Amino acid sequence: MQHTSTQDTLVGLFVAAGIVGLLFLALQVSGLSAFIKEDTYTVTARFENSGGLKVKSAVSSAGVKIGQVSAIKFDPTTYESVVEMRINSRYNTLPDDTSASIFTAGLLGEQYVNLVPGGSDETLKDGSMIELTQSAIILEKLIGQFLFKSAEEKAETNK
Amino acid sequence: MIQFVQYLGRTTRTSFTKLGRGTFFLLHTLAGIGDVLPRPRLILNQMYSVGVLSFLIITISGLFVGMVLGLQGYYILSDFGAEETLGVMVAASLVRELGPVVSALLFAGRAGSALTAEIGLMKATEQLSGMEMMAVDPIKRIISPRFLAGLLSMPLLAALFSMIGIIGGFMVGVGLLGVDEGAYWSQMQDSLDFQDDIVNGVIKSLVFGFVATWIALFEGYDTIPTSEGVSRATTRTVVNSAFSILGLDFILTALMFGD
């Protein structure tokens, strides 16, 4: 009898260790806890071009992450990109004339939405729309412009 | 020439016959699960020999795999000045691939071969026919509990492997090589998704556990009842499990991560 009860304890310990492993993966590795407990509100913004922005990209203000992109859709009537963002309810004092722009973290980093607060007294609420937006900077376009311009200059000096 | 065609036909036929027997065996085993559930003692005893006894090899291998990933990842990433993403690299490769695959291969070697040898010897010493004589269905009494124990143990072992591996990568990357501790965890949490990475990893390990246990039990049950037959069956278990696990891993990865 002694033997089977030690065996039971070991099996119990094994199962407990396995569950700890699964919890560790869920909470510490995938950061699931950050999602569940925090309330968010949704705002949308229209961009002429949302570039490489993806669902789950960060939304930050003054360099601090305050939310994430929850959906990106294409509006077939205005040909704009409609970006839906979930912002943590703790940060509910953003004025309604906040502007949104898409930046890149570092030269090759991920793209994220940067919010710059304006001066209005009204605040952004669930379902609000951010009016002032600035599109993503497309690196290829910049390089293209630069090359075109330098070629033009060269042609002029050669004349 | 004729002989070659005959050989080809015979081999094809026997392998299909074997696959058919294996499928029938699997259905029989699954049908037996209903009778096993009211007797958890049977499953518990098998969880001990399949799960607890594999614990040590899984944790130690996980630790070393994680440490090697930390070391190699650091050397490669530091060339690009991207040491901070070490956590992402270690965790993603462990949770998505190495955790389920390597622990399933170790599981097939450690637990699968033991299952085949045990059941093969039971057959060779006519214990299984003895049970049938006493009107006890050996599949329900012997096979089904082992199958359930393997199926339940595999995801737990894979999760343990990944966890220990990530801690091993942390020890090497943060402890020895000086990667920032906050960056290691926060980049990992930003990049890995619960649904896409963790749940898919668990699904993979469940599939591998299912296949590896099925192969081990079937090879044991289907063995030629001699000592040579048992040894061959054990070898086949390890070889076939490894093939199936790696092949299935490719298919599952293509289904899960190719969006």
Side-chain angles (χ1 to χ4, degrees):
Chain A
M1 207 55 216
Q2 186 58 41
H3 175 67
T4 48
S5 93
T6 352
Q7 215 177 51
D8 291 358
T9 317
L10 286 172
V11 172
L13 278 174
F14 165 66
V15 173
I19 289 169
V20 167
L22 285 172
L23 281 178
F24 175 87
L25 292 183
L27 301 181
Q28 180 74 6
V29 175
S30 73
L32 190 66
S33 54
F35 276 91
I36 295 172
K37 60 184 177 199
E38 296 187 34
D39 282 341
T40 56
Y41 63 99
T42 310
V43 296
T44 51
R46 286 167 173 275
F47 292 93
E48 199 182 305
N49 186 339
S50 60
L53 201 69
K54 290 192 286 273
V55 172
K56 291 192 79 188
S57 292
V59 175
S60 55
S61 186
V64 181
K65 188 182 174 187
I66 59 170
Q68 63 177 355
V69 173
S70 56
I72 301 176
K73 281 178 232 128
F74 177 65
D75 183 339
T77 54
T78 60
Y79 313 117
E80 285 174 322
S81 161
V82 183
V83 175
E84 227 178 78
M85 294 168 268
R86 279 211 307 258
I87 297 172
N88 198 310
S89 302
R90 264 188 296 165
Y91 310 111
N92 56 359
T93 55
L94 290 167
D96 69 350
D97 60 346
T98 294
S99 68
S101 34
I102 297 174
F103 284 166
T104 311
L107 195 56
L108 300 168
E110 293 251 315
Q111 293 201 301
Y112 65 97
V113 180
N114 189 45
L115 299 181
V116 180
S120 168
D121 291 333
E122 297 286 307
T123 58
L124 284 175
K125 301 208 169 48
D126 192 47
S128 309
M129 162 88 85
I130 295 176
E131 305 287 347
L132 300 165
T133 61
Q134 193 193 339
S135 288
I137 298 161
I138 313 284
L139 204 60
E140 293 94 314
K141 222 157 109 187
L142 282 182
I143 295 172
Q145 275 173 356
F146 174 75
L147 288 177
F148 190 67
K149 210 175 155 192
S150 58
E152 227 171 30
E153 272 168 11
K154 223 179 210 172
E156 255 168 46
T157 48
N158 284 354
K159 248 178 219 170
Chain B
M1 186 64 200
I2 297 283
Q3 266 186 336
F4 176 70
V5 175
Q6 276 178 337
Y7 167 77
L8 211 67
R10 195 166 53 238
T11 325
T12 318
R13 216 189 118 183
T14 44
S15 50
F16 276 112
T17 316
K18 189 163 181 185
L19 185 64
R21 276 207 308 275
T23 311
F24 183 70
F25 172 83
L26 178 68
L27 293 177
H28 200 157
T29 308
L30 292 177
I33 285 176
D35 292 303
V36 175
L37 287 178
R39 302 166 75 188
R41 164 73 42 204
L42 287 176
I43 307 171
L44 213 71
N45 286 343
Q46 292 312 316
M47 285 278 279
Y48 177 78
S49 57
V50 169
V52 176
L53 295 182
S54 308
F55 182 85
L56 202 65
I57 186 174
I58 292 284
T59 46
I60 292 175
S61 317
L63 184 69
F64 282 112
V65 167
M67 282 162 71
V68 168
L69 273 178
L71 211 56
Q72 289 283 16
Y74 181 82
Y75 290 143
I76 294 169
L77 292 172
S78 62
D79 282 350
F80 306 103
E83 299 96 89
E84 270 71 38
T85 50
L86 182 69
V88 183
M89 201 207 106
V90 171
S93 43
L94 274 169
V95 171
R96 289 183 187 167
E97 291 297 330
L98 292 175
V101 172
V102 177
S103 54
L105 291 175
L106 291 171
F107 177 83
R110 166 66 189 74
S113 57
L115 284 176
T116 308
E118 188 188 11
I119 291 166
L121 269 175
M122 278 184 180
K123 190 178 180 189
T125 51
E126 295 183 341
Q127 294 179 47
L128 294 183
S129 350
M131 280 186 162
E132 270 168 12
M133 293 280 282
M134 294 186 287
V136 176
D137 184 350
I139 287 197
K140 281 184 187 163
R141 179 67 179 74
I142 301 289
I143 307 287
S144 294
R146 284 166 173 73
F147 183 76
L148 259 186
L151 197 62
L152 290 174
S153 303
M154 195 49 232
L156 299 177
L157 290 171
L160 268 170
F161 187 95
S162 300
M163 176 178 85
I164 304 272
I166 289 165
I167 293 171
F170 176 82
M171 275 161 42
V172 169
V174 177
L176 295 178
L177 299 169
V179 174
D180 182 55
E181 182 179 343
Y184 187 87
W185 293 116
S186 67
Q187 296 245 3
M188 186 190 295
Q189 287 166 1
D190 281 350
S191 306
L192 268 76
D193 182 62
F194 180 71
Q195 190 71 38
D196 287 348
D197 296 309
I198 312 292
V199 173
N200 278 347
V202 172
I203 293 174
K204 268 189 180 180
S205 61
L206 267 174
V207 173
F208 297 160
F210 185 95
V211 172
T213 324
W214 173 29
I215 291 176
L217 292 172
F218 177 65
E219 289 292 356
Y221 192 75
D222 201 50
T223 183
I224 301 158
T226 57
S227 22
E228 197 199 352
V230 174
S231 93
R232 280 202 185 166
T234 314
T235 313
R236 270 205 306 274
T237 294
V238 177
V239 174
N240 291 350
S241 301
F243 280 150
S244 323
I245 287 164
L246 295 170
L248 275 172
D249 181 50
F250 174 73
I251 296 169
L252 287 175
T253 304
L255 285 177
M256 285 168 174
F257 300 106
D259 57 354

